[in-house]
Amino acid sequence: DAKTTQPTSMDCAEGRAANLPCNHSTISGNEYVYWYRQIHSQGPQYIIHGLKNNETNEMASLIITEDRKSSTLILPHATLRDTAVYYCIVRVGRGAGNNRKLIWGLGTSLAVNP
Amino acid sequence: EAQVTQNPRYLITVTGKKLTVTCSQNMNHEYMSWYRQDPGLGLRQIYYSMNVEVTDKGDVPEGYKVSRKEKRNFPLILESPSPNQTSLYFCASSLLGTGERGYTFGSGTRLTVV
């Protein structure tokens, strides 16, 4: 599975958009980009994932560059409760027999400030 | 409510005393996995299971055992715990196949071995 590079920490003002970047320059054609977050030692929470196209759900938007070597997670209106560590992970998605192992980096610690 | 339930949340034990951390999910997920999280190392996979009676080692299986006798349960067994197994443990589950999204994680078990 490809590795990812994320900034160690970021700040964001409450109510503004938080844009979290991720580099995955060695991603393979069948690898998905997943985003999770972890709030203070709680269990990680799935946010969103994508393969090629941009994706949006009730939590966030995921923008993947055309060459798929990087992506950005966007929290459109960050709140204090979005303060967490955000993990960008790439791995093979669907397919019987695959270990769904996620290789976790250390993520980006996002602080949303009042 | 769809969830992964781990017990106990906190456990302090002594070296060599066998213990079991339970994990149960109510989403009929085929795939289940155990991770440990240590400072500076991120989450690392211990064991995983693709379905009932199908288990396999992850990246750090030494000192751990698992079983999958029922689809909903995936206990983690430490036959002879040692201080280097002091960690935060997470159980996770997911669907396989076209219904797959991301993992659902439990709330974690903080284990201290003295």
Side-chain angles (χ1 to χ4, degrees):
Chain A
D1 293 334
K3 292 187 178 177
T4 62
T5 304
Q6 299 177 252
T8 302
S9 62
M10 293 182 64
D11 286 298
C12 176
E14 187 178 18
R16 306 297 290 264
N19 298 289
L20 291 90
C22 180
N23 287 319
H24 30 79
S25 58
T26 59
I27 192 170
S28 301
N30 63 347
E31 288 185 315
Y32 287 72
V33 180
Y34 281 78
W35 283 85
Y36 286 79
R37 73 180 182 183
Q38 187 176 24
I39 299 172
H40 193 248
S41 296
Q42 296 178 19
Q45 177 189 23
Y46 164 83
I47 301 173
I48 199 167
H49 75 287
L51 182 62
K52 295 179 185 177
N53 301 321
N54 299 336
E55 303 287 344
T56 295
N57 63 20
E58 64 279 4
M59 290 183 68
S61 295
L62 174 61
I63 309 298
I64 303 174
T65 58
E66 195 169 337
D67 63 8
R68 303 205 328 118
K69 293 185 177 182
S70 65
S71 61
T72 301
L73 179 74
I74 301 172
L75 308 178
H77 305 286
T79 70
L80 299 179
R81 281 184 282 188
D82 291 322
T83 293
V85 178
Y86 288 78
Y87 297 95
C88 168
I89 300 159
V90 297
R91 72 158 178 85
V92 174
R94 300 183 176 94
N98 282 332
N99 177 8
R100 277 6 187 208
K101 179 177 70 175
L102 302 174
I103 299 177
W104 300 74
L106 297 180
T108 296
S109 180
L110 174 69
V112 180
N113 303 310
Chain B
E1 181 188 351
Q3 60 186 358
V4 175
T5 303
Q6 290 178 232
N7 280 298
R9 290 292 309 275
Y10 300 91
L11 179 60
I12 301 175
T13 191
V14 296
T15 299
K17 185 177 182 182
K18 181 179 178 180
L19 66 91
T20 299
V21 183
T22 63
C23 174
S24 180
Q25 50 92 5
N26 62 1
M27 296 165 283
N28 202 35
H29 286 172
E30 298 94 347
Y31 182 85
M32 298 185 75
S33 182
W34 276 102
Y35 286 82
R36 62 177 288 174
Q37 185 173 28
D38 302 288
L41 295 178
L43 282 90
R44 294 176 292 167
Q45 190 185 53
I46 303 171
Y47 268 95
Y48 69 96
S49 170
M50 301 294 280
N51 214 324
V52 176
E53 302 292 2
V54 181
T55 64
D56 208 346
K57 297 177 181 178
D59 294 321
V60 288
E62 295 78 21
Y64 305 95
K65 286 175 57 178
V66 293
S67 68
R68 189 91 181 272
K69 295 187 171 69
E70 306 162 282
K71 198 171 188 179
R72 63 183 293 124
N73 295 323
F74 190 46
L76 180 69
I77 303 155
L78 285 72
E79 295 270 4
S80 183
S82 62
N84 65 10
Q85 293 178 297
T86 292
S87 187
L88 180 56
Y89 291 86
F90 291 104
C91 180
S93 72
S94 75
L95 283 171
L96 296 177
T98 57
E100 179 178 353
R101 286 187 59 189
Y103 286 5
T104 301
F105 279 85
S107 299
T109 296
R110 188 170 291 280
L111 172 66
T112 302
V113 183
V114 298

